[in-house]
Amino acid sequence: MYKDILIPALKDTVFMVSYATIFSLTLGFICSFILVITENKGLKPNRFIYSIFDLIVNILRSFPFIILMIAVIPLTKIIAGKSIGRVAAIVPLTIGAFPFVARVIESALKEVDKGLIEAAKSLGATTSQILFKVMLPEAFPSIIRGITLTIINLIGYSAMAGVIGGGGLGDVAIKYGYYRFKTDIMIYTVIVLIIIVQIVQVIGDIFYKRLSK
């Protein structure tokens, strides 16, 4: 059972979550930088650009993931070349997670002491220098917590990937535990998911404590 069902499902979950984390962090960082720079009190205020990105993030965050996954199938087919399978599942996972990442990082960057930013400005630092050498290092512990939450959310989202044939532990729990009444498989699957989430949380906490010193 472990070799034939749980191990392949675990590999699918790790595959989907890993790639979706990388892509959602990349898009989330870019989006948050634009939001922070162009906001009213930002480094380069631009109401038009801020409003566009703010709207995109709010709209995407409004979708329940199960609906988002179905709604973006045409886009998934364009990007991944197919609409079902674990590779295809990475697209909705990324689209579902990156707005959350953007808000978390934006919030962390806004918490940076304004005095530090003003001091950097008075020394003639450029926008990119203030962003990458002042704000980002100061906000990094909070960002680590956000990344930890993102990975845990993605593990939860991946449990729904079975709807588009993504497989994974969540799909096994539903397929065997719910439809075939294999309670033992469902229990094992839930235990594995709990262990994975605990590992991610512990690693995130360790990094946060080290960076906060």
Side-chain angles (χ1 to χ4, degrees):
M1 178 182 72
Y2 300 103
K3 186 178 178 181
D4 298 332
I5 300 175
L6 288 182
I7 298 299
L10 177 61
K11 287 180 179 177
D12 286 341
T13 295
V14 171
F15 176 84
M16 291 185 289
V17 172
S18 299
Y19 278 97
T21 299
I22 293 169
F23 294 136
S24 60
L25 287 180
T26 303
L27 292 174
F29 265 102
I30 293 171
C31 201
S32 65
F33 289 164
I34 293 172
L35 287 168
V36 168
I37 290 172
T38 59
E39 68 161 337
N40 280 341
K41 296 180 181 179
L43 301 172
K44 297 282 184 185
N46 187 313
R47 191 172 180 177
F48 178 70
I49 294 176
Y50 179 85
S51 298
I52 290 174
F53 278 83
D54 188 54
L55 182 64
I56 291 171
V57 168
N58 285 341
I59 289 174
L60 291 177
R61 286 188 67 195
S62 302
F63 277 84
F65 182 68
I66 189 75
I67 296 173
L68 176 72
M69 201 162 43
I70 304 300
V72 300
I73 281 179
L75 181 63
T76 300
K77 198 166 185 179
I78 292 171
I79 295 174
K82 49 189 172 183
S83 57
I84 58 171
R86 64 177 191 170
V87 173
I90 293 170
V91 176
L93 285 171
T94 301
I95 294 173
F98 96 80
F100 174 77
V101 176
R103 285 299 186 211
V104 167
I105 298 173
E106 180 194 10
S107 177
L109 291 171
K110 284 182 176 177
E111 289 175 2
V112 174
D113 186 356
K114 301 298 181 189
L116 285 174
I117 298 171
E118 290 303 320
K121 282 182 180 176
S122 66
L123 292 172
T126 63
T127 300
S128 61
Q129 286 173 329
I130 294 172
L131 185 61
F132 291 106
K133 294 185 178 180
V134 178
M135 297 177 73
L136 199 54
E138 286 293 320
F140 212 64
S142 297
I143 291 174
I144 288 295
R145 278 196 159 172
I147 292 173
T148 304
L149 284 174
T150 301
I151 296 172
I152 291 172
N153 278 344
L154 279 169
I155 292 170
Y157 287 167
S158 72
M160 293 178 249
V163 172
I164 57 171
L169 291 167
D171 184 46
V172 166
I174 294 171
K175 191 180 294 179
Y176 288 89
Y178 184 70
Y179 291 118
R180 301 183 189 180
F181 304 104
K182 300 280 188 182
T183 308
D184 55 336
I185 294 180
M186 176 175 270
I187 291 172
Y188 289 138
T189 305
V190 171
I191 290 172
V192 173
L193 283 169
I194 291 172
I195 291 172
I196 293 172
V197 170
Q198 290 301 310
I199 290 171
V200 171
Q201 187 64 59
V202 168
I203 293 173
D205 288 344
I206 290 171
F207 275 106
Y208 175 77
K209 287 177 183 175
R210 287 187 178 180
L211 291 168
S212 298
K213 290 180 180 176

